Amino acid sequence: MKTCAIHWFRKGLRLHDNPALQAACKVADDVKPVFILDPWFANNANVGVNRWRFLLQTLQNLDENLKKINSRLYIIKGKPADVFPKLFKNWGVSHLTFEEDIEPYALTRDSEIKKLADEHNVKVTSCVSHTLFDPQRIISKNGGKAPLTYQRLQTVLSSLGSPPKPVDSPSECKTKTESDHDKKYGVPSLEDLGKSEKECGPLLFPGGETEALRRLESMMGKKNWVCTFEKPKTAPNSLEPSTTVLSPYLKFGCLSPRMFYYKLQEVYNKAKHTSPPVSLLGQLLWREFYYCVAVDTPNFDKMEGNPVCKQIPWDTNESYLKAWKEGRTGYPFIDAVMTQLRQEGWIHHLARHSVACFLTRGDLWINWEEGMKVFEEYLLDADWSLNAGNWMWLSASAFFHQYFRVYSPIEFGKKTDKDGDNIRKYVPQLSKYPTAYIYEPWKAPLKVQEKAGCIVGKDYPKPIVEHDKIRKKNIERMAQAYNASKTEGGGAKRKSDSSSSQKKKKAKVK
DNA sequence: GGCAGTGTTGACGGA
DNA sequence: GTCCGTCAACACTGC
C-alpha cells in the first residue's frame, strides 16, 4: 500500500540535519514537503521587507535543493488549521512530520494541528533540531527549572555530554508532482505579497541553506580567527561585520546549530582556542541559554507577569521612541546603528547593546518591550527567545543587574572607530565633519558646521537628551525600582528564591 | 546554614 | 598614555 507523508517546514528550512524530514522520507513513498504561507501574515505580522526577502530566497533555495533529490516544495496559502484537513484528505496522508518549535504561538498552533491529525488518523512525528539539546531535557536535568545563569547552564551541559550528531540530508525524497506545480505551489515573489524589491536594502546576506553552508565553511576556514575569537573584543561599528553573521541562518534554520557545533569542534580539536562565554562556541551556548529560559518562563516577552523580569516604571514617550527608531536622536553613533538596522537588517551584538541601553535604562527610559518590537521588525535574525532575553539583559531587567554600567553614546563607539567612518556611511549628512566633532556634532563651532554643510538643529537633530545628566538620573531611578522590587517581594517573583534574599534586603532598606 | 567569592562585553575621575 | 577605585546587584557556587 502506498503511503503519503507531509513534512511541514516552518523553521528548519534545510535538508541537512533535518531528522523530521528524514523520518518522512523513510516512512513514505510519496513525501510532500510543505510550507504554509498565510497571506494575512504578510500584512499584519511584524516582519520588515528585508526579512520577507530573506524568507522567500530561503524557500526558493529549499525548492531548488529538493529538486536535486527528486522532490519539490509545496507553498500552500492559508492558515494551518484550515489547510491541513484538506491536504490530509486530498493527498490521502498517513504521516505528518515537523521540527519542534518552542515559541508560545507555535505551541498553540501545533497542538491544534496534532489534534486535527489525530482526527484524520494521521500519525505525527516531531523532532528537536532547532537547538543543540532539547530545552526540556536541560530543564529536567536542572531539577525542573531553567538555568538562570550562564554558568549554571554550562554545569548542566557538562553532565549531558555532546549534543546529538547532525543527521545527513536525505539522498532521495520521492514526491509525486503535478505538471502545473509551479503555478499551484510555486514560491511567491515579494510583489505577490504586496511588497516591493525597491523597499529592500542592499542584498548583503542572501537567504537559503546553500548560502548558509557556504558562509559556515568560509568562516570555519579562518582557523586562527575562529580559535582566537572573543566576542567582547570584536568591533560593533566596523564597515565589514566583525562576527560570523550566521545568526539569520540559524534563526530560520537554514543552518543547523549542531552542524555549526561539530564544524567548530573540528577546528578546535587541532589547536588551542578560546572558551565560552566569549568564544564562538560560547555564542551558540548563549542561544541555548535563552531558549531554555524562554520555554520555561510565562510571559517571557513581557515585563508584566514575567517572573524573571524586574518591574520597572518605564515612561511612555512616543516622540522619543520614534526618534530612536528612525535614527534621529542627535547622537550620531546611535543614529548610525539604527540606520544600519533599518537599511540592512543586521547590526553587531555590541551595537545592539548600545542602542538598547540608550532606549531603556541609559537615556530614554522607555520599556524594553518597545525596543524588542522594533528589533523584531527589522532584524533578519529576529528570534523570539533571544530578542526578548537580550532586551531584558540590556535593560537590567533580568540576568544582568549592574545598572550603573551605562554605555556612553559618545565614547563607546570611539574605541573601535576613532575616525567615525561608520557614522559617515550611515549618517551621510555628517560625512564632512572633522573627526574631532563626528561623535558630538553639536559641539562644533557654527563655522565648522557650515563648512561641513550640515547645521545641527536644521540638517541634523540636536541631542534629544543630555546624556551626562539623564544617565545619573536614570541610575537613581533604577536603584529605586530595584529597591521597590525587594520590599514588595518582587510581585511575580519566583517562590523558591524569595526567602533568603528577602531577609537580607529588609536589613538593607533602612 | 552562613558567608565570601564570582560573573561575556561600562564610564569616569584621579593618580 | 595606564591603572585603579567608585558607582553599589543579584543568583548561584563552594567552603
Side-chain angles (χ1 to χ4, degrees):
Chain A
M1 201 185 93
K2 91 178 181 76
T3 52
C4 177
I6 291 178
H7 175 72
W8 182 15
F9 280 105
R10 305 96 62 86
K11 292 172 187 162
L13 298 173
R14 61 173 184 263
L15 301 189
H16 74 276
D17 193 27
N18 193 335
L21 173 66
Q22 208 184 48
C25 292
K26 271 189 190 152
V27 76
D29 38 29
D30 184 14
V31 178
K32 305 286 195 197
V34 160
F35 185 89
I36 298 174
L37 193 61
D38 188 343
W40 180 88
F41 219 70
N43 296 313
N44 297 282
N46 194 16
V47 180
V49 68
N50 283 333
R51 192 155 85 250
W52 274 114
R53 176 173 64 178
F54 191 97
L55 173 63
L56 295 181
Q57 289 173 337
T58 295
L59 295 173
Q60 197 70 52
N61 179 247
L62 188 58
D63 187 34
E64 282 157 20
N65 288 339
L66 281 166
K67 278 183 200 169
K68 291 176 194 161
I69 54 170
N70 295 323
S71 182
R72 290 300 301 269
L73 181 65
Y74 291 71
I75 306 285
I76 315 269
K77 295 197 179 75
K79 294 186 198 306
D82 300 332
V83 164
F84 274 114
K86 290 177 200 158
L87 296 184
F88 290 157
K89 226 173 125 194
N90 294 348
W91 288 341
V93 174
S94 57
H95 289 77
L96 171 66
T97 66
F98 54 80
E99 178 185 65
E100 287 194 7
D101 187 335
I102 58 106
E103 294 182 24
Y105 90 95
L107 290 174
T108 309
R109 174 197 64 193
D110 293 351
S111 75
E112 191 183 359
I113 299 306
K114 276 180 191 162
K115 217 177 115 210
L116 283 171
D118 224 37
E119 286 164 17
H120 289 78
N121 278 325
V122 172
K123 189 172 180 289
V124 175
T125 303
S126 62
C127 303
V128 174
S129 46
H130 192 62
T131 43
L132 294 174
F133 296 91
D134 182 349
Q136 294 297 356
R137 196 168 156 230
I138 294 174
I139 289 165
S140 76
K141 197 85 185 173
N142 190 45
K145 50 185 188 187
L148 284 177
T149 65
Y150 192 83
Q151 238 181 9
R152 185 75 209 144
L153 175 82
Q154 283 184 285
T155 306
V156 177
L157 290 189
S158 66
S159 70
L160 286 179
S162 302
K165 288 244 166 72
V167 302
D168 290 334
S169 305
S171 52
E172 198 182 18
C173 177
K174 281 169 276 177
T175 302
K176 295 188 174 64
T177 50
E178 300 157 51
S179 56
D180 56 352
H181 183 97
D182 285 320
K183 201 178 153 200
K184 272 164 89 175
Y185 304 115
V187 178
S189 65
L190 272 176
E191 280 69 21
D192 293 335
L193 298 178
K195 321 254 165 219
S196 161
E197 191 77 39
K198 284 179 208 149
E199 302 165 52
C200 293
L203 181 57
L204 302 177
F205 314 109
E209 177 182 12
T210 304
E211 173 62 16
L213 294 173
R214 189 205 63 78
R215 196 167 184 95
L216 177 69
E217 285 304 316
S218 141
M219 292 296 155
M220 294 300 105
K222 302 189 283 182
K223 296 196 168 58
N224 185 50
W225 181 78
V226 169
C227 289
T228 56
F229 184 94
E230 289 178 69
K231 186 64 161 280
K233 290 188 181 163
T234 56
N237 47 4
S238 52
L239 292 179
E240 291 299 318
S242 60
T243 51
T244 64
V245 200
L246 287 170
S247 53
Y249 303 94
L250 287 165
K251 178 244 153 50
F252 282 102
C254 303
L255 175 64
S256 151
R258 294 165 185 172
M259 174 72 102
F260 189 3
Y261 177 95
Y262 280 99
K263 291 281 175 188
L264 211 42
Q265 294 303 328
E266 278 176 32
V267 180
Y268 282 168
N269 279 341
K270 290 167 195 152
K272 200 178 136 218
H273 57 84
T274 51
S275 301
V278 296
S279 64
L280 269 181
L281 172 62
Q283 308 314 301
L284 212 42
L285 300 188
W286 279 108
R287 182 173 179 274
E288 209 74 3
F289 173 72
Y290 286 123
Y291 265 86
C292 283
V293 198
V295 70
D296 195 43
T297 307
N299 300 305
F300 189 69
D301 59 351
K302 296 178 186 67
M303 179 177 82
E304 285 181 32
N306 178 342
V308 303
C309 183
K310 227 9 109 184
Q311 304 298 302
I312 296 166
W314 304 108
D315 291 339
T316 303
N317 190 323
E318 285 303 321
S319 73
Y320 277 5
L321 176 60
K322 206 156 179 277
W324 176 82
K325 178 178 179 177
E326 294 169 3
R328 292 187 287 101
T329 67
Y331 286 94
F333 173 60
I334 299 295
D335 295 341
V337 170
M338 292 305 292
T339 303
Q340 183 185 3
L341 169 65
R342 274 181 301 123
Q343 290 178 354
E344 300 176 2
W346 182 88
I347 51 177
H348 185 278
H349 189 63
L350 291 179
R352 301 179 197 202
H353 277 212
S354 311
V355 297
C357 183
F358 188 87
L359 181 75
T360 58
R361 65 187 169 87
D363 296 82
L364 303 185
W365 201 258
I366 289 174
N367 193 328
W368 58 268
E369 292 172 48
E370 299 301 326
M372 177 187 71
K373 287 176 207 160
V374 172
F375 274 23
E376 184 182 293
E377 177 180 355
Y378 290 130
L379 280 173
L380 294 176
D381 61 30
D383 182 306
W384 186 78
S385 307
L386 276 60
N387 198 19
N390 276 310
W391 272 97
M392 281 187 268
W393 181 291
L394 258 300
S395 60
S397 299
F399 315 118
F400 170 86
H401 308 279
Q402 286 165 286
Y403 52 74
F404 40 86
R405 292 187 177 180
V406 177
Y407 285 87
S408 164
I410 298 154
E411 298 304 322
F412 187 71
K414 285 186 190 170
K415 288 195 272 187
T416 44
D417 181 19
K418 213 161 35 63
D419 300 331
D421 291 338
N422 191 270
I423 293 169
R424 294 176 204 281
K425 176 174 178 185
Y426 292 104
V427 190
Q429 308 95 293
L430 298 173
S431 63
K432 295 206 175 71
Y433 262 63
T435 297
Y437 300 110
I438 190 80
Y439 281 88
E440 300 166 281
W442 63 91
K443 285 191 177 167
L446 191 57
K447 278 207 169 140
V448 175
Q449 298 188 22
E450 283 168 352
K451 197 177 164 213
C454 175
I455 310 293
V456 174
K458 184 169 148 253
D459 307 307
Y460 179 74
K462 289 180 183 161
I464 52 172
V465 289
E466 263 186 86
H467 175 71
D468 288 340
K469 285 186 187 160
I470 207 99
R471 171 182 163 271
K472 288 185 187 129
K473 191 180 140 200
N474 287 350
I475 289 174
E476 278 172 34
R477 290 177 89 175
M478 285 303 285
Q480 279 172 20
Y482 267 61
N483 236 343
S485 85
K486 288 190 219 163
T487 48
E488 287 156 22
K493 228 177 173 29
R494 298 194 161 200
K495 287 167 211 123
S496 57
D497 55 32
S498 54
S499 56
S500 66
S501 57
Q502 209 80 290
K503 273 184 258 163
K504 249 190 228 167
K505 131 292 214 98
K506 261 180 199 157
K508 213 176 162 188
V509 166
K510 290 250 155 126

